[in-house]
Amino acid sequence: MVHENHSYDVVVVGAGNAALCAAIASKEKHARVLVLEKGPRHKRGGNSFFTDGAIRFAFSGLDELREVIPKISDEEASKINMPPYTEEQYYRDLMNATNNRSEEELATHLVSKSYETIKWMHENKIDFDLIYDNQSFVKDGINHFWGGLPVKTSNRGVGLINQLNSRAEELGIDVWYESPATQINKHDNEIASIEVNKNGEEVTVQTKSVVLACGSFEANKKLRSKNLGDIWDNAIIRGTEFNTGDGLSMAFEIGAQPFGEWNGCHSIGTDANAPKTGDFTKPGDIFKKHSYPLGIMINKEGNRFVDEGADFRNFTYAKYGREILKQPGHVAYQIYDSQVRDMLRDEYGKAEATCYKADTLEELVNQLDVDKDQFLKTFQAYNAAVQDGDFNPAEKDNKATKGITPPKSNWALKMEKGPFYAFPVTCGITFCFGGLKANNKGEVLDPNNQPIQGLYAAGEMIGGIFYGNYPGGSGLMSGAVFGKTAGTSAGRYAAAQKQAEF
Ligand SMILES: Cc1cc2nc3c(=O)[nH]c(=O)nc-3n(C[C@H](O)[C@H](O)[C@H](O)COP(=O)(O)OP(=O)(O)OC[C@H]3O[C@@H](n4cnc5c(N)ncnc54)[C@H](O)[C@@H]3O)c2cc1C
């Protein structure tokens, strides 16, 4: 075995959004930083790579957005109505989505540091765009934004990961690909080194400070079954194949405390024919199917099973995946008619979308693997239950059904006009909610809630922020906020350690 002598002030495990933000923040504290990535270069970026880049943060209005998106011209700005999204609203949305279970210290940190972190990302050459599609509507020539999620990273997750890597390279941060971290070593109660399998060779890297930002365990079949239940074997992994819980195991071995909803995860309705794990040659979130509030969902037995219009999709999509998983065959059909077809999100028109289409409902149902009689009965009962009212997809319009279970609480249109469309969906798991206990400095805590000296965490690795559900766009924001925080803390700790040695 070849023994190489490697020594860094801070080692960051993972090369997704949280990790690269941590690495850049540590570098700003003058640390010598090494990033370890389990995957090869062409599969870098973790789940962050697969995102559409939607990122949720608090802001006071369009002026603050223009500080981070300077390309918005005065002319463009004059055609925008951008309501503020306050820290109070963000906090409330987070608490509503998680049934008030989000840990207060972490939730407050995420929300209160969100805008300043976006500004910091902008200063670090990350570009952002407004999300006109899906998050705004045009009325009298003005783009009205709604829902508190008007911004994405330019060119989605691919753009984010490319720009973060360019910045890391510019700052002189070393990145090792195909180099999973395997173990953290302690000496005299302090972190001393980390073991790495570097291109198949065991290497020890000396370091006093480690930031774990290597995702959760959604791609680990064993851990998924153990923590979420056997049924989760049937879920598709929407993102990277490399998030197998390595960082969690390494942290537990040196005394970290598990925290958060270990039997919960973020999962969505995704195309029933999506690949079993994320395909790095097909960037972007192209398999999701998020327009269900405009239609109805019917399972193989011919029954509806959720209130498709309970809220805006941003507040229901992350919990409906699990409801689809519970259906027979783990499949459901999203049904739409011609009135709403043009309003469906882009992903419905992609070549990758599985779609059945017919002029009549009877012809459509003949193409589907469902109980045909029950399907038609459910459909008729739904149409009969739809109440009068003004349909308005830009707000919760209370256009609802009456007398059926489950109800449809908003956007309930009678579906009568062919052609009709059916999109089969299954459950795609995004990431798991259980993780490590950390504080608002990004320090990993032991079972006595004391920081483990030199150990930090960020991104999906931190438990206790999301429970049961989450407000869309919060995963990237959490990764960036806690990545920056953990990286800054790790850089400071490394500097203090060096000073103490002199
Ligand atoms: C299809 C999809 C779409 C999404 N869309 C959005 C969206 O629009 N907005 C949003 O906010 N969130 C979105 N999310 C959620 C979001 O991706 C995550 O919450 C966030 O990116 C997690 O960032 P992270 O840095 O913690 O983890 P990741 O980005 O997953 O990075 C973890 C990295 O660690 C590496 N790794 C794992 N084990 C090891 C090891 N032992 N050693 C070294 N490296 C290791 C992995 O290879 C990976 O590169 C989406 C997720 C998916 C899958």
Side-chain angles (χ1 to χ4, degrees):
M1 186 172 35
V2 182
H3 285 281
E4 295 178 68
N5 188 12
H6 299 287
S7 174
Y8 285 86
D9 298 328
V10 175
V11 173
V12 178
V13 184
N17 175 51
L20 293 170
C21 285
I24 291 167
S26 285
K27 193 73 191 180
E28 286 179 346
K29 295 290 158 207
H30 312 292
R32 286 188 63 242
V33 183
L34 171 65
V35 170
L36 299 173
E37 170 52 47
K38 187 174 179 179
R41 194 179 188 286
H42 67 277
K43 290 186 175 182
R44 70 181 184 182
N47 282 348
S48 309
F49 172 87
F50 289 96
T51 69
D52 273 345
I55 190 157
R56 180 178 294 264
F57 58 93
F59 58 93
S60 60
L62 187 58
D63 286 349
E64 275 198 348
L65 295 190
R66 290 183 76 182
E67 283 181 37
V68 292
I69 317 178
K71 63 189 163 197
I72 300 174
S73 66
D74 289 345
E75 198 198 337
E76 185 179 350
S78 71
K79 293 185 192 134
I80 291 173
N81 173 30
M82 183 67 72
Y85 186 59
T86 63
E87 291 182 12
E88 291 71 30
Q89 278 171 293
Y90 193 173
Y91 189 83
R92 205 169 47 239
D93 285 343
L94 181 55
M95 286 302 170
N96 282 343
T98 59
N99 249 329
N100 290 317
R101 291 177 75 196
S102 184
E103 212 252 355
E104 201 182 323
E105 176 182 328
L106 301 174
T108 303
H109 190 66
L110 165 61
V111 167
S112 65
K113 297 291 172 193
S114 61
Y115 182 71
E116 80 175 51
T117 304
I118 291 286
K119 276 201 87 167
W120 173 82
M121 291 171 87
H122 170 65
E123 284 154 20
N124 276 292
K125 305 185 182 177
I126 308 304
D127 291 332
F128 298 98
D129 289 325
L130 289 178
I131 312 178
Y132 280 97
D133 292 351
N134 311 316
Q135 305 293 339
S136 78
F137 64 96
V138 182
K139 198 174 168 197
D140 302 330
I142 302 290
N143 291 282
H144 295 262
F145 282 81
W146 53 272
L149 187 56
V151 174
K152 64 179 176 186
T153 52
S154 300
N155 194 17
R156 305 163 292 166
V158 193
L160 171 68
I161 290 301
N162 285 343
Q163 291 192 319
L164 283 170
N165 273 295
S166 300
R167 184 64 177 152
E169 196 177 325
E170 189 176 74
L171 292 172
I173 292 167
D174 291 341
V175 182
W176 293 357
Y177 294 104
E178 295 181 76
S179 298
T182 54
Q183 185 179 307
I184 300 168
N185 302 314
K186 278 173 101 178
H187 183 68
D188 283 348
N189 216 26
E190 284 183 353
I191 289 176
S193 60
I194 186 163
E195 303 294 331
V196 186
N197 187 306
K198 188 182 184 205
N199 307 114
E201 193 179 289
E202 300 306 321
V203 170
T204 304
V205 178
Q206 308 300 323
T207 188
K208 297 233 154 128
S209 197
V210 171
V211 180
L212 291 172
C214 50
S216 64
F217 59 85
E218 72 279 357
N220 183 324
K221 204 171 165 179
K222 244 187 180 166
L223 285 181
R224 221 165 55 227
S225 291
K226 180 178 162 207
N227 291 291
L228 306 179
D230 289 340
I231 192 173
W232 288 89
D233 271 4
N234 302 290
I236 276 174
I237 313 301
R238 299 176 64 213
T240 178
E241 70 222 66
F242 299 116
N243 286 357
T244 49
D246 305 356
L248 297 167
S249 323
M250 282 189 275
F252 294 144
E253 272 168 30
I254 58 165
Q257 180 187 164
F259 193 54
E261 191 185 30
W262 271 76
N263 60 357
C265 66
H266 179 297
S267 64
I268 69 155
T270 192
D271 196 291
N273 293 313
K276 296 291 176 209
T277 58
D279 179 348
F280 279 87
T281 66
K282 291 194 168 165
D285 196 358
I286 56 178
F287 295 103
K288 69 186 171 199
K289 293 283 174 294
H290 279 350
S291 291
Y292 54 84
L294 297 174
I296 57 173
M297 284 199 275
I298 294 189
N299 67 16
K300 284 190 173 196
E301 289 170 346
N303 296 315
R304 289 177 56 248
F305 53 94
V306 289
D307 179 348
E308 301 87 349
D311 206 333
F312 288 118
R313 74 99 209 173
N314 272 338
F315 301 111
T316 57
Y317 77 95
K319 61 179 180 179
Y320 280 178
R322 116 175 53 103
E323 299 307 320
I324 293 167
L325 186 68
K326 288 182 202 158
Q327 305 312 307
H330 319 294
V331 165
Y333 293 94
Q334 295 182 356
I335 312 292
Y336 305 97
D337 75 352
S338 62
Q339 329 169 63
V340 295
R341 177 63 191 88
D342 287 348
M343 296 162 73
L344 302 186
R345 297 166 57 101
D346 284 355
E347 64 256 23
Y348 287 81
K350 290 199 184 298
E352 288 82 4
T354 311
C355 175
Y356 301 94
K357 179 181 172 188
D359 287 336
T360 67
L361 203 54
E362 288 70 19
E363 284 170 287
L364 183 75
V365 79
N366 279 333
Q367 299 180 53
L368 310 182
D369 178 17
V370 292
D371 178 325
K372 296 182 179 31
D373 291 343
Q374 186 55 35
F375 181 102
L376 293 172
K377 267 189 212 155
T378 298
F379 213 89
Q380 280 154 10
Y382 165 80
N383 272 346
V386 168
Q387 302 298 294
D388 289 342
D390 288 335
F391 171 77
N392 182 353
E395 57 186 45
K396 284 162 80 173
D397 62 6
N398 290 321
K399 185 164 165 43
T401 58
K402 196 173 164 192
I404 53 169
T405 308
K408 185 172 179 194
S409 302
N410 292 284
W411 312 296
L413 283 173
K414 281 191 184 181
M415 291 205 276
E416 297 172 321
K417 299 186 185 109
F420 295 90
Y421 302 84
F423 293 86
V425 288
T426 187
C427 173
I429 183 168
T430 319
F431 63 94
C432 303
F433 290 145
L436 305 176
K437 183 147 196 194
N439 61 18
N440 62 12
K441 293 189 189 119
E443 295 169 322
V444 176
L445 306 182
D446 70 13
N448 297 317
N449 290 326
Q450 296 304 308
I452 297 175
Q453 294 296 309
L455 187 64
Y456 305 87
E460 292 172 358
M461 299 219 43
I462 296 183
I465 303 177
F466 307 122
Y467 287 83
N469 192 9
Y470 102 152
S474 301
L476 286 176
M477 196 68 256
S478 168
V481 166
F482 284 94
K484 175 174 182 282
T485 301
T488 304
S489 298
R492 281 202 188 114
Y493 177 80
Q497 293 289 303
K498 271 204 268 187
Q499 213 165 28
E501 280 167 16
F502 284 111

